Amino acid sequence: MILTTKYPYALAETLYSGQAFRWDPILNGEVHEGILDGVRVRLSQKEDGIHCSAGCEDSFNEEFIKKYLRIEDDLSLIYSKLSSDSYFTIAKDFYEGLHILKQDPWECLVTFICSANNNIPRIKSLVKGISECCGENTKDQFGHFYTFPEPIAISEVGELGLRQIGLGFRAKYVAKVADMVVRNEIDLKSFRFLEYQEALTELLKFPGVGDKVANCVLLFSMDKLQAFPVDVWIKRVLRENYLNESDESIPDTKLRDWAQIRFGEYAGYANQYLFHQRRLT
DNA sequence: ATCGAACCTCCAAT
DNA sequence: AATTGGAGGTTCG
C-alpha cells in the first residue's frame, strides 16, 4: 500500500524526533518498523509516497495509519500561521515536512511518565521492557513481537515488577496510573473530547504527570495542537532567542503561557520544530 | 504561592 | 578503576 501526500512529509525526522519511542530503522535504515494498535507496521519513504506494509495484512487499515501520521494536516496553513516567527522559519526550512504524530493516549501517557529525567535511549529501553514484560507475545509474517500492554497487564505486574525493568522511581507512578485506569477512576479515553485546559487539568491528576508530560500527551495523542511542552531543550531555545538572559527563573508554566500566546493554535507544531532544531545542533 | 532537593538507573566523562 | 554528573521532570517538604 502506498500513501500519497499532498504536503511534504519528512518520515524519518518525524518518527525519530523524540515523540514516539517504538520505531526502529531496519534494512540499512531504509525501512522503519513500529507497532501500532497491536500490529507491526513497516514504512519507507520513496519517490511515489510512503510505502506501508503490515505483518498481518488483514488487520491493517489505511485510515488508521493516515491518522497516526497526521498525513492530512494542512502544513501550508500551519506554516503560514507561524511564518511571522523567524526562528520557526529557520527550523521549518531545515525540517520541512516534520509532523506531529497522533499516538495512542495510553501508550503515550506511560511513555512520557517514563521520560522524566531520562534520555532517549533509556526511554526506548524502558518502553521496550514494559512491552516485553507485560505485552502480548504476538506472531506475524516477520516473526515475534510484543504489543504495548493494556492497563490491566501493567497493573498486575505492579511497582516491583516495573522496578525490575528499570523504571526506578517512575515505577510507582506507572503502577498507580495503571491501577487508576483499570479501576475506572479516570476515563483516559474521553480526554480527547475535552477542551485543552480541561484535559490538562484531568491529566495532572495522575501521579508522575506534571505540566510537561501532560502537554506531551495532549500534543502527541489528543489532537491538542496548541499544547506546548516545556522541557530543557525548549527552555534553551526560548532563553537564547526570545527572552533576556536574566529571566532564568520564570516558572515553566509561565513560559508555556507565553509561548502559547505567541504561537497560537499551532504552538505545538512550533514547539516540535524548535525542539528538533535545537536538539540537533 | 514558590523554591530547592531528592528520586532510580545508566553511562559518559573525569 | 572508582566517582561524579546529568539525562526530554515530578513530588515533597
Side-chain angles (χ1 to χ4, degrees):
Chain A
M1 183 181 87
I2 301 172
L3 261 36
T4 54
T5 65
K6 187 170 165 192
Y7 308 100
Y9 202 107
L11 183 64
E13 296 287 357
T14 299
L15 298 179
Y16 305 116
S17 59
Q19 46 178 326
F21 297 89
R22 277 200 97 188
W23 287 97
D24 285 300
I26 57 172
L27 275 33
N28 301 321
E30 309 246 326
V31 178
H32 314 289
E33 181 174 282
I35 295 137
L36 299 187
D37 200 24
V39 179
R40 176 173 11 207
V41 174
R42 292 183 171 181
L43 304 178
S44 64
Q45 188 152 39
K46 305 241 167 85
E47 301 274 320
D48 56 345
I50 297 173
H51 292 227
C52 316
S53 62
C56 180
E57 294 291 347
D58 50 318
S59 53
F60 189 46
N61 172 319
E62 175 171 344
E63 281 312 304
F64 184 81
I65 193 113
K66 283 172 76 173
K67 269 165 90 177
Y68 178 85
L69 294 174
R70 300 192 70 106
I71 224 162
E72 289 174 351
D73 278 1
D74 188 342
L75 281 193
S76 342
L77 173 68
I78 294 168
Y79 289 166
S80 78
K81 293 236 179 186
L82 297 170
S83 63
S84 62
D85 186 278
S86 60
Y87 296 102
F88 172 81
T89 302
I90 292 168
K92 186 259 301 180
D93 290 341
F94 270 96
Y95 304 111
E96 184 157 35
L98 175 64
H99 281 244
I100 300 289
L101 294 170
K102 182 193 182 104
Q103 304 178 57
D104 173 66
W106 167 243
E107 178 171 344
C108 195
L109 176 62
V110 172
T111 300
F112 280 97
I113 292 174
C114 291
S115 78
N117 218 296
N118 256 333
N119 53 35
I120 289 175
R122 269 199 45 78
I123 300 165
K124 283 193 73 164
S125 101
L126 295 182
V127 175
K128 187 160 179 268
I130 292 172
S131 302
E132 289 174 356
C133 173
C134 325
E136 277 186 47
N137 187 344
T138 309
K139 190 172 191 276
D140 65 10
Q141 58 165 320
F142 303 129
H144 285 275
F145 69 97
Y146 290 88
T147 62
F148 189 82
E150 295 297 315
I152 181 72
I154 293 183
S155 165
E156 281 166 2
V157 164
E159 177 182 345
L160 258 46
L162 293 167
R163 275 186 184 273
Q164 303 274 322
I165 297 166
L167 292 228
F169 65 85
R170 307 159 196 86
K172 66 172 176 293
Y173 302 144
V174 172
K176 185 71 168 60
V177 167
D179 275 342
M180 290 168 76
V181 174
V182 167
R183 291 168 195 275
N184 239 346
E185 285 174 26
I186 297 187
D187 182 17
L188 185 64
K189 287 192 177 65
S190 68
F191 290 8
R192 224 196 266 269
F193 306 109
L194 301 176
E195 294 300 311
Y196 168 77
Q197 189 56 50
E198 217 177 334
L200 174 60
T201 305
E202 289 301 312
L203 280 168
L204 292 175
K205 292 179 182 171
F206 287 115
V209 178
D211 195 75
K212 191 272 176 183
V213 169
N215 273 275
C216 285
V217 175
L218 290 166
L219 179 59
F220 300 137
S221 77
M222 293 179 178
D223 291 329
K224 301 297 183 278
L225 296 184
Q226 75 271 49
F228 195 93
V230 175
D231 56 45
V232 291
W233 294 98
I234 280 295
K235 273 191 263 193
R236 284 169 194 154
V237 173
L238 296 183
R239 198 163 294 138
E240 289 162 5
N241 301 324
Y242 300 93
L243 306 168
N244 285 327
E245 305 271 334
S246 53
D247 299 316
E248 286 280 328
S249 60
I250 302 174
D252 292 356
T253 50
K254 284 255 193 250
L255 289 176
R256 175 167 63 73
D257 286 340
W258 180 87
Q260 286 176 319
I261 289 166
R262 177 178 181 86
F263 296 111
E265 59 184 319
Y266 298 118
Y269 258 98
N271 183 295
Q272 191 64 9
Y273 278 75
L274 294 175
F275 169 79
H276 199 59
Q277 158 97 347
R278 184 62 180 80
R279 194 166 70 86
L280 269 48
T281 50

